[in-house]
Amino acid sequence: MRALQPAEVLSCDHRRKEATGRGTVTCIEVAMTRTSTCTYHFILLNWYIFLNFYIPQLGTFFQDSAQSKYLTLLNLLLQAIFFGVACLDDVLKRIKGRKDIRFITAFRDLLFATLAFPICTFVFLAFWTIFLYDRELIYPKVLDGMFPGWLNHAMHSFIFLFSLIEIILRPHHYPPRKTGLTLLAISSVGYISRILWLHSKTGQWVYPVLAKLSPLGLTAFFFLSYFLIASIYLLGERLNQWKWGDRMLPWMKME
């Protein structure tokens, strides 16, 4: 990493003062924050890579394309992709500078805003709500002998915590709301179509809870699920604005 020239240091301090309204944040502190963020992304990238390789080794439960039908497992793959892009963005910024990689930064933010945060939060809320109501509908007790307790929390609890930390560590430029919700709707329809297609082929539902519902109940369930995930999208947008709103100046939107 090259040393900052005096003019660049003054420029950095000036911009940081404008963004924060105070002069106590220096380029050294900014560099330390970026290094910590890069380290965080790298650790989580390896964590999700580990989970994606470890879980399929646990038994025959994960055969027959299980990783493409369970939202929990698709989310783990999605998180690995997101933190991989975030790591790439961190490294290239140090090598090429912010302006040269705007496409990657924009893709990172779009991926987080429209998929990574909404889906992981949905998995967290939906899983634990149904689990606390009747665990047999979502995570039968027989699975306790297959999955250690820490792995259950890795799949269904820590995912939400890590996404909240991501919001705190770095601002994300959200797309226009109509665009974001449209992309989220396309993803949701795609996954619901996958569930229905699998049921038509096998006669079995991916999740036991779906077998308890009538056709009208299924329609209501899927509609409410999208309403929930769309609300989560808006929550992420609001949290990002709450944490970074005053600092989301044009030069920081691709931070």
Side-chain angles (χ1 to χ4, degrees):
M1 181 178 178
R2 68 179 179 84
L4 292 173
Q5 299 300 316
E8 293 178 302
V9 173
L10 291 175
S11 176
C12 178
D13 284 339
H14 175 68
R15 289 181 301 180
R16 185 58 60 172
K17 288 176 185 178
E18 288 182 340
T20 61
R22 55 192 175 88
T24 58
V25 180
T26 67
C27 281
I28 294 177
E29 290 173 301
V30 172
M32 290 178 63
T33 299
R34 289 179 177 174
T35 299
S36 299
T37 302
C38 183
T39 302
Y40 174 75
H41 288 157
F42 180 74
I43 291 173
L44 285 188
L45 170 62
N46 285 274
W47 169 247
Y48 282 116
I49 289 175
F50 162 73
L51 290 178
N52 277 283
F53 278 96
Y54 173 72
I55 293 174
Q57 312 302 319
L58 294 178
T60 58
F61 181 79
F62 290 104
Q63 295 180 358
D64 192 25
S65 303
Q67 284 185 288
S68 65
K69 65 182 181 181
Y70 292 109
L71 189 59
T72 292
L73 301 184
L74 287 172
N75 175 63
L76 294 179
L77 177 60
L78 172 63
Q79 298 302 319
I81 293 173
F82 167 72
F83 283 106
V85 173
C87 278
L88 179 63
D89 180 74
D90 293 334
V91 172
L92 290 181
K93 272 183 181 156
R94 290 176 174 271
I95 298 174
K96 294 188 174 183
R98 184 171 62 246
K99 291 184 179 180
D100 294 332
I101 61 164
R102 285 186 173 178
F103 172 78
I104 296 176
T105 303
F107 178 67
R108 178 205 70 188
D109 288 346
L110 184 67
L111 186 61
F112 180 79
T114 60
L115 292 177
F117 180 77
I119 290 178
C120 84
T121 306
F122 177 84
V123 169
F124 169 77
L125 292 175
F127 176 84
W128 288 112
T129 298
I130 298 175
F131 184 93
L132 293 175
Y133 174 74
D134 183 356
R135 66 170 298 174
E136 295 299 319
L137 296 177
I138 192 71
Y139 193 82
K141 196 168 185 178
V142 66
L143 295 180
D144 288 344
M146 182 180 300
F147 297 108
W150 68 265
L151 185 56
N152 183 23
H153 287 290
M155 295 187 296
H156 301 115
S157 300
F158 299 152
I159 52 173
F160 178 59
L161 174 63
F162 294 152
S163 283
L164 284 181
I165 294 175
E166 174 66 19
I167 289 177
I168 294 172
L169 284 179
R170 169 164 288 173
H172 295 85
H173 184 207
Y174 270 64
R177 186 171 294 177
K178 183 178 179 180
T179 300
L181 291 176
T182 298
L183 292 174
L184 186 60
I186 292 172
S187 301
S188 299
V189 170
Y191 181 67
I192 291 172
S193 299
R194 170 73 172 162
I195 290 177
L196 296 174
W197 181 82
L198 287 171
H199 179 260
S200 70
K201 290 293 183 180
T202 65
Q204 295 181 337
W205 289 105
V206 173
Y207 304 103
V209 64
L210 300 180
K212 305 290 185 180
L213 301 175
S214 65
L216 180 61
L218 284 171
T219 302
F221 180 84
F222 290 138
F223 176 80
L224 290 175
S225 294
Y226 176 72
F227 178 80
L228 174 60
I229 202 169
S231 299
I232 292 170
Y233 173 89
L234 298 177
L235 172 64
E237 185 182 58
R238 181 61 62 88
L239 289 174
N240 186 71
Q241 178 68 23
W242 168 75
K243 180 65 175 68
W244 300 103
D246 294 338
R247 304 182 187 184
M248 287 294 285
L249 301 176
W251 67 273
M252 288 193 67
K253 286 185 178 181
M254 292 300 173
E255 179 68 18

